[in-house]
Amino acid sequence: ERLLSESRERLKFAVDSAGLGTWDYDPQTKDLIWDKRCKEIYGYKPTALVDMASFYNVVHSDDRARVENKINDTLLDPKLGEYDAEYRTIPIVGRIKWLKAKGRVYFNENGKAIRFIGTLLDITFQKLVDDATRELLIKKDEFISIASHELRTPITSLKVALQVIERTTSKNEEMKGLQSLVVKSLKQVDKLIELIKDLLDVTKMQAGKLELRKSEFNLGELINECCEELQDQSSKHQLIIEGDANINIYADRNRIEQVLVNLISNATKYSQNSDKVIIKVKQVAKGVKVAITDFGIGIPQSKIPLIFDRFYRVDDNTQRYAGLGLGLYISAEIIRRHNGQINIESKEGKGSTFWFVIPQVTGI
Ligand code: ADP
């Protein structure tokens, strides 16, 4: 008895501190009991006598039929048993509340509902926060979209002007000093253009407007091109291609190039203490698999599920490397749009393998 009473005390404490109301309904006699908190939430006095009509009277008219159907279904079907509903009330002291009710029905041996008990929680504040957060996220996306569109034109003009200056200074011996500065500026402008392109891609993907221009092309040739370009930018790593890449695929060449460049440059960027990156191509049952392996810092197991999220960057170590945390999100979206698969295997401190599979292999 003492244990039972202690456990009741604990339960009461938990229910009170969570601000939960409790209710108990007998479907046979139609008796309904609400505790004080439940009555308070629904705007009834603690002494009020209540029944199911008192309940339906305070449920918002737009939600009433849905809630009533749900309750009736739960009371009729022993297989359901659990009840979980979110609904609004009519204005109580001037404002509509959002409530969450959870409950369980107990049935007798003949399958008749004999008791329906549960809890009630006022989730109005949580709903407000959720709505405000959703609105803010939409505004953030709009801002990114407008800002990146607005940035594109001036930066493109800047690039054209710098190219003209670069050409002029390269022809003039006296201006040779200036030329190296212009070349540096051009490189920085190219970086900015890449960042803006990433931001624009993300906005397009968010709006579901990423279009693929598919054609048949040779994957091996594309990988060679990417490696040559990246090798020019960084000579520290040896980019090794393994397997038979002489495979034709039907995909968006530019977008697959974007994925390869993203993954290979990440592989070099996050493996400053090693000197090679392996790009392995293999035909598999579902298409062609490309795996990019580095021997760098790797990714902790707990962070792997988040790695393809927008703006996600593994903190601490990686804050030393420049980036927006968009490359992997964009790569994953491109592969998904090709109905392919993308994933990662990694060991912290040992290195990572990012791989993707493209399904449409065509005859050569
Ligand atoms: P960015 O490199 O611009 O930050 P990405 O979306 O390409 O953005 O990558 C997201 C994060 O994933 C990076 O910030 C880094 O923490 C981690 N990451 C990506 N590739 C690797 C890799 N090859 N090795 C270790 N960490 C990586």
Side-chain angles (χ1 to χ4, degrees), residues 30-302:
K30 316 271 184 241
D31 285 338
L32 177 66
I33 301 166
W34 281 351
D35 74 349
K36 213 169 104 212
R37 174 72 183 136
C38 208
K39 287 182 185 167
E40 182 190 3
I41 293 175
Y42 282 124
Y44 285 93
K45 287 206 176 76
T47 49
L49 290 175
V50 292
D51 56 12
M52 277 312 246
S54 335
F55 167 62
Y56 287 122
N57 280 343
V58 282
V59 176
H60 195 287
S61 57
D62 290 352
D63 294 343
R64 208 169 288 153
R66 177 173 57 86
V67 173
E68 194 167 357
N69 286 339
K70 199 161 202 174
I71 291 179
N72 290 339
D73 289 350
T74 321
L75 288 174
L76 280 177
D77 190 348
K79 275 192 250 84
L80 287 175
E82 302 276 333
Y83 166 75
D84 188 344
E86 284 185 15
Y87 48 89
R88 285 159 299 172
T89 62
I90 56 166
I92 293 171
V93 202
R95 69 181 179 95
I96 290 172
K97 290 181 186 176
W98 265 103
L99 304 180
K100 183 175 182 65
K102 267 180 169 274
R104 167 167 292 175
V105 183
Y106 293 88
F107 294 89
N108 65 13
E109 60 278 11
N110 303 323
K112 275 220 165 333
I114 47 166
R115 199 170 173 199
F116 183 25
I117 56 170
T119 58
L120 183 74
L121 187 65
D122 186 341
I123 55 165
T124 314
F125 182 69
Q126 187 187 326
K127 280 276 177 194
L128 281 175
V129 172
D130 286 354
D131 287 351
T133 311
R134 211 170 302 120
E135 230 169 82
L136 272 176
L137 285 175
I138 293 172
K139 286 223 169 86
K140 185 198 71 182
D141 284 345
E142 277 172 12
F143 170 75
I144 291 177
S145 166
I146 294 168
S148 35
H149 268 109
E150 292 299 316
L151 284 168
R152 203 164 51 162
T153 320
I155 285 180
T156 314
S157 320
L158 185 64
K159 179 168 174 166
V160 174
L162 282 171
Q163 280 169 330
V164 174
I165 301 175
E166 200 266 326
R167 249 174 274 136
T168 319
T169 50
S170 69
K171 286 182 204 138
N172 190 329
E173 268 309 310
E174 280 173 27
M175 290 186 176
K176 276 277 178 242
L178 200 60
Q179 195 213 354
S180 68
L181 276 181
V182 179
V183 170
K184 265 191 205 154
S185 312
L186 265 171
K187 272 199 187 133
Q188 297 302 325
V189 167
D190 280 339
K191 271 194 195 160
L192 269 177
I193 291 176
E194 284 307 311
L195 285 177
I196 293 168
K197 257 200 219 151
D198 277 358
L199 286 172
L200 282 170
D201 276 347
V202 170
T203 348
K204 251 190 233 159
M205 286 167 180
Q206 285 297 108
K209 285 188 188 147
L210 180 80
E211 276 173 22
L212 296 182
R213 294 203 185 90
K214 288 191 183 177
S215 63
E216 188 177 333
F217 63 90
N218 188 277
L219 181 64
E221 281 170 19
L222 179 65
I223 294 178
N224 280 330
E225 276 172 36
C226 293
C227 288
E228 272 166 32
E229 192 191 315
L230 292 168
Q231 197 77 74
D232 281 349
Q233 290 170 17
S234 133
S235 51
K236 185 173 161 49
H237 291 83
Q238 199 189 346
L239 305 178
I240 304 163
I241 304 171
E242 284 182 0
D244 184 12
N246 189 16
I247 298 169
N248 275 19
I249 60 171
Y250 185 69
D252 186 322
R253 197 177 194 277
N254 287 337
R255 292 295 181 184
I256 299 297
E257 178 180 1
Q258 196 177 352
V259 175
L260 285 165
V261 170
N262 258 334
L263 298 184
I264 302 171
S265 36
N266 272 353
T268 56
K269 181 160 122 186
Y270 297 107
S271 68
Q272 296 294 323
N273 293 330
S274 94
D275 58 3
K276 67 175 177 200
V277 167
I278 299 170
I279 299 127
K280 201 169 181 174
V281 185
K282 196 172 142 195
Q283 207 144 353
V284 289
K286 286 184 181 157
V288 56
K289 179 173 176 179
V290 182
I292 291 129
T293 302
D294 67 62
F295 304 90
I297 61 172
I299 297 161
Q301 214 57 31
S302 62

Side-chain angles (χ1 to χ4, degrees), residues 212 214 251-252 256 334-340 358-360:
L212 296 182
K214 288 191 183 177
D252 186 322
I256 299 297
I334 293 173
I335 298 298
R336 276 187 211 121
R337 292 274 286 116
H338 280 87
N339 298 320
I358 292 285
Q360 280 112 332

Side-chain angles (χ1 to χ4, degrees), residues 195 198 262-271 292-300 303 306-315 317-319 321-331 344 346 351-354:
L195 285 177
D198 277 358
N262 258 334
L263 298 184
I264 302 171
S265 36
N266 272 353
T268 56
K269 181 160 122 186
Y270 297 107
S271 68
I292 291 129
T293 302
D294 67 62
F295 304 90
I297 61 172
I299 297 161
K303 306 281 166 80
L306 307 167
I307 207 86
F308 294 107
D309 286 358
R310 263 194 315 163
F311 302 111
Y312 184 76
R313 311 199 70 219
V314 180
D315 45 21
N317 271 336
T318 58
Q319 296 302 340
Y321 306 96
L324 286 181
L326 290 178
L328 288 181
Y329 169 79
I330 293 172
S331 303
I344 166 190
S346 185
S352 318
T353 296
F354 282 83

